[in-house]
């Protein structure tokens, strides 16, 4: 047998160096890891992002969608065999699940807001931004009437729109309160209605008492100032003023309903969640109606238990309607808000 004298074999030391180079993080690992770290930092530290140029607004409004971005990043890491980079990507995905899976399961993290299983019970309330000048406003409110809601809260209720929908709404609901461009129709008696100024030159909010079957409920119907990238000051001041009003309200049962122009992940929304629960199931996105990606429409409550929630598509509107079924529940202890949080 001829002897192969042309082949050389790596020594143990050389093989060790080769293995070390093979398992050393490559550029793709560092890139994936960096992106995963940034996404995780934004997930938990979005409150530190400056509001300049609308950065904070964009991030906080669409924070739930980070899950899809992180999942895509993890898939890319695995397909490209960026094994080291997949570790922080997986950690970021787990972190997102910790934050948002409770929301997907019940709609809201606080236990008092957890929806019960089975058919919704109690009475129902729905909120809808009709869109100013909506030519299909009558068809939109017909959908809300068909839903069987006991209380309907409408925003962007212009004069001509009110004239068109009044016969339909007044023929179904016995009680009505209107202030500026916000209106409330109810099957239960309404009293003590008064407009609230939350930052604009005309009334877009009001409070009243609802004589519900379980007793009086203080209802706030609101439409907070609109926001644009870099223009959130009016809305933030309106939310802060609303928070102070609610903090001073001793009512055992409270509902705050309408278009807040803020997702519940928005830093300016946090003071409201210190004393109230957000009624929804899953993410319940409502805007834009054509492809909902965030939820500026809320039904906040205290002194109730949420038994169900849904969204409703209505003609001609740019928001989906948000609906919730509520029944009497334990009163959640109020939390004192300091001036710095407002």
């Amino acid at each position: 047998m001829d002897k192969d004298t042309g082949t050389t074999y790596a020594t143990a030391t050389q093989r060790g160096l080769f293995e070390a180079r093979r398992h050393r993080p490559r550029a793709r690992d560092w890139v994936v890891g960096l992106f995963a770290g940034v996404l995780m930092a934004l997930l938990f530290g979005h409150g530190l992002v400056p509001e300049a140029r609308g950065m904070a607004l964009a991030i906080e409004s669409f924070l739930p969608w980070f899950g899809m971005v992180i999942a895509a990043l993890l898939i890319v890491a695995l397909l490209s065999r960026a094994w080291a980079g997949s570790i922080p990507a997986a950690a970021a995905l787990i972190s997102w699940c910790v934050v948002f899976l409770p929301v997907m399961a019940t709609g809201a993290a606080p236990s008092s807001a957890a929806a019960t299983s089975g058919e919704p019970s109690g009475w129902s309330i729905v909120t809808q931004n009709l869109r100013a000048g909506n030519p299909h406003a009558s068809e939109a409110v017909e959908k809300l009437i068909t839903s069987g809601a006991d209380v309907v809260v409408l925003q962007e209720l212009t004069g001509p729109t009110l004239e068109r929908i009044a016969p339909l709404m007044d023929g179904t609901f016995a009680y009505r309160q209107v202030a500026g461009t916000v209106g409330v129709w109810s099957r239960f008696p309404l009293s003590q209605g008064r407009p609230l100024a939350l930052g604009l030159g005309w009334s877009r909010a009001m409070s009243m008492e609802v004589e519900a079957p379980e007793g009086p409920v203080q209802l706030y119907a609101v439409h907070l100032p609109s926001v644009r990238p870099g223009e959130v000051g009016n809305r933030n001041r309106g939310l802060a003023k609303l928070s102070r009003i609610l903090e001073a309200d001793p009512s055992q049962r409270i509902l705050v309903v309408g278009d807040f122009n803020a997702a519940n992940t928005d830093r300016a929304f946090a003071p409201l969640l210190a004393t109230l629960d957000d009624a929804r199931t899953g993410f319940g996105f409502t805007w834009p109606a054509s492809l909902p990606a965030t939820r500026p429409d809320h039904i906040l409550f205290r002194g109730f238990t949420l038994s169900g929630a849904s969204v409703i598509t209505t003609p001609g509107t740019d928001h989906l309607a948000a609906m919730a079924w509520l029944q009497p529940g334990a009163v959640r202890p109020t939390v004192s808000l300091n001036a710095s949080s407002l």
Side-chain angles (χ1 to χ4, degrees):
M1 178 185 298
D2 293 335
K3 186 175 182 180
D4 185 358
T5 58
T7 303
T8 59
Y9 298 92
T11 64
T13 300
Q14 290 171 327
R15 286 197 300 272
L17 291 172
F18 176 75
E19 289 296 321
R21 290 193 191 98
R22 195 157 65 94
H23 291 95
R24 185 182 302 165
R26 294 165 293 179
R28 70 188 69 170
D29 293 292
W30 290 109
V31 171
V32 171
L34 177 62
F35 273 105
V38 169
L39 290 169
M40 193 183 302
L42 290 174
L43 188 64
F44 292 106
H46 57 85
L48 301 176
V49 177
E51 291 187 341
R53 301 182 182 276
M55 290 187 294
L57 178 65
I59 290 171
E60 292 178 334
S61 296
F62 303 102
L63 200 62
W65 293 97
F66 275 36
M68 293 186 63
V69 178
I70 296 171
L73 185 65
L74 179 58
I75 292 172
V76 169
L78 295 175
L79 292 177
S80 63
R81 298 185 180 181
W83 310 123
S86 65
I87 296 173
L93 187 58
I94 292 171
S95 299
W96 182 92
C97 290
V98 169
V99 173
F100 286 109
L101 279 185
V103 178
M104 294 178 66
T106 65
S111 58
S112 61
T116 58
S117 59
E119 290 296 318
S121 57
W123 57 276
S124 55
I125 185 167
V126 65
T127 176
Q128 172 73 76
N129 183 322
L130 277 177
R131 188 172 68 86
N134 180 1
H136 305 290
S138 297
E139 292 92 328
V141 298
E142 283 178 351
K143 287 286 293 288
L144 303 181
I145 292 171
T146 303
S147 73
D150 297 296
V151 179
V152 176
V153 179
L154 301 177
Q155 304 90 49
E156 297 200 10
L157 192 62
T158 61
T161 299
L162 178 59
E163 290 181 6
R164 291 203 307 274
I165 71 168
L168 289 169
M169 297 297 286
D170 294 343
T172 304
F173 300 94
Y175 305 94
R176 175 177 77 169
Q177 294 273 359
V178 176
T181 55
V182 174
V184 175
W185 280 261
S186 173
R187 302 181 194 275
F188 312 129
L190 302 174
S191 62
Q192 303 179 33
R194 63 186 182 93
L196 299 175
L198 295 180
L200 290 173
W202 67 95
S203 177
R204 297 212 315 185
M206 61 178 167
S207 68
M208 69 203 68
E209 187 173 276
V210 182
E211 289 297 332
E214 66 276 1
V217 177
Q218 191 66 29
L219 170 64
Y220 294 86
V222 302
H223 186 190
L224 274 295
S226 300
V227 293
R228 299 290 186 275
E231 298 178 14
V232 297
N234 285 339
R235 185 212 59 182
N236 289 352
R237 285 187 288 272
L239 285 171
K241 185 172 183 179
L242 179 61
S243 297
R244 291 192 293 269
I245 292 171
L246 296 171
E247 182 188 8
D249 191 330
S251 303
Q252 293 292 294
R253 293 191 169 88
I254 292 178
L255 286 169
V256 191
V257 183
D259 179 359
F260 292 74
N261 276 306
N264 68 2
T265 46
D266 194 300
R267 68 192 69 184
F269 201 82
L272 294 173
L273 295 180
T275 56
L276 302 164
D277 290 321
D278 193 359
R280 57 180 181 164
T281 52
F283 289 125
F285 297 138
T286 59
W287 184 88
S290 57
L291 187 64
T294 188
R295 183 180 172 104
D297 306 280
H298 303 279
I299 299 171
L300 305 180
F301 65 91
R302 182 169 80 204
F304 293 94
T305 297
L306 175 67
S307 63
S310 67
V311 295
I312 303 170
T313 303
T314 53
T317 62
D318 53 353
H319 291 241
L320 301 183
M323 186 172 184
W325 287 262
L326 303 165
Q327 53 189 0
V331 177
R332 179 179 173 186
T334 59
V335 177
S336 178
L337 303 176
N338 56 51
S340 63
S341 67
L342 302 177

